[in-house]
């Protein structure tokens, strides 16, 4: 990692996890395999910030730890990349096992439970699907009907209040790191 840490992907430990590595990696990993409009790829870091924002909108009384869990929901992708769901499924259980080990190490590193409670995971998944709908319709060329079919309908007021902006990776990296520090300080 750029921090100098050596991360064993098959046996990750919390001591080898640094938020700067996560933020940097996610800021340079493109969602939608880079197939979005604009001068910059829409990064997993930008997506993670949006999911946390949507999660907070849906759950205004969420704790800082719950919000941090939402922010870090795709954190393992800083080293394993972002794959579309059909590819993840075809890779098989090995991918899911790797993702779970990395998630546990990341969560422990930042004072979160190694395994996300099912109810919280479901709430974050809802915010994640809303984010995917917004990304699909604003950046990836999907019609609203197509996005509704794939991700579920999104509240019109919420959809209308969120406009996605493509930004340089270093700017997104900085915002991800700042949001992480803000939430960690509140825990």
């Amino acid at each position: 990692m750029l921090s100098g840490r050596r991360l064993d992907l098959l046996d990750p430990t919390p001591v080898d996890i640094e938020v700067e590595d996560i933020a940097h990696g996610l800021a340079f990993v493109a969602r939608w395999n880079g197939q979005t409009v604009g001068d910059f790829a829409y990064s997993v870091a930008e997506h993670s910030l949006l999911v946390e924002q949507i999660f907070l909108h849906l759950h205004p009384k969420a704790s800082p730890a719950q919000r941090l869990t939402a922010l870090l929901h795709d954190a393992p992708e800083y080293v394993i990349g972002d794959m579309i769901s059909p590819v993840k499924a075809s890779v098989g259980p090995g991918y899911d096992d790797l993702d779970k080990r990395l998630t546990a190490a990341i969560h422990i590193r930042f004072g979160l439970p190694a395994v996300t409670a099912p109810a919280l995971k479901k709430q974050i998944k809802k915010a994640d699907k809303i984010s995917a709908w917004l990304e699909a319709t604003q950046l990836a060329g999907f019609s609203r009907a197509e996005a509704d079919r794939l991700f579920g309908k999104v509240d019109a007021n919420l959809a209308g209040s969120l406009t996605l902006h493509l930004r340089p990776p270093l700017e997104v990296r900085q915002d991800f790191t700042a949001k992480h520090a803000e939430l960690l300080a509140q825990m």
Side-chain angles (χ1 to χ4, degrees):
M1 302 292 113
L2 285 178
S3 66
R5 298 279 188 193
R6 297 289 180 240
L7 180 66
D8 181 345
L9 288 178
L10 300 179
D11 188 23
T13 61
V15 73
D16 294 324
I17 307 292
E18 296 294 341
V19 70
E20 292 82 6
D21 293 330
I22 294 170
H24 182 81
L26 294 182
F28 284 92
V29 172
R31 296 241 325 144
W32 304 93
N33 291 327
Q35 299 300 308
T36 53
V37 299
D39 295 333
F40 300 101
Y42 188 74
S43 73
V44 176
E46 192 78 73
H47 163 77
S48 298
L49 287 162
L50 179 61
V51 168
E52 188 275 333
Q53 180 184 1
I54 293 167
F55 176 78
L56 181 60
H57 174 82
L58 296 173
H59 307 281
K61 294 184 180 184
S63 71
Q66 291 170 322
R67 292 175 58 199
L68 183 59
T69 304
L71 180 69
L72 296 172
H73 80 283
D74 280 339
E77 294 179 9
Y78 88 103
V79 289
I80 59 176
D82 182 33
M83 284 190 248
I84 58 175
S85 295
V87 174
K88 287 178 186 177
S90 71
V91 170
Y95 179 89
D96 193 46
D97 291 343
L98 176 60
D99 185 75
K100 285 178 181 176
R101 284 194 303 274
L102 284 164
T103 297
I106 291 164
H107 282 194
I108 291 167
R109 169 66 174 90
F110 300 115
L112 300 170
V115 177
T116 303
L120 178 58
K121 192 170 189 166
K122 186 177 179 182
Q123 292 171 334
I124 293 169
K125 189 64 180 171
K126 181 175 181 179
D128 192 31
K129 283 190 168 200
I130 293 169
S131 177
W133 188 95
L134 291 165
E135 295 164 23
T137 58
Q138 293 184 29
L139 303 173
F142 286 56
S143 69
R144 286 176 172 256
E146 189 176 17
D148 287 350
R149 190 176 73 256
L150 292 169
F151 307 111
K153 290 187 182 235
V154 172
D155 176 87
N157 292 330
L158 178 59
S161 70
L162 296 169
T163 302
L164 307 185
H165 302 283
L166 300 176
R167 303 183 296 155
L170 297 181
E171 184 179 320
V172 178
R173 179 182 73 186
Q174 181 179 359
D175 286 355
F176 184 97
T177 305
K179 178 57 72 175
H180 179 273
E182 172 193 322
L183 294 171
L184 208 54
Q186 295 174 15
M187 289 176 46

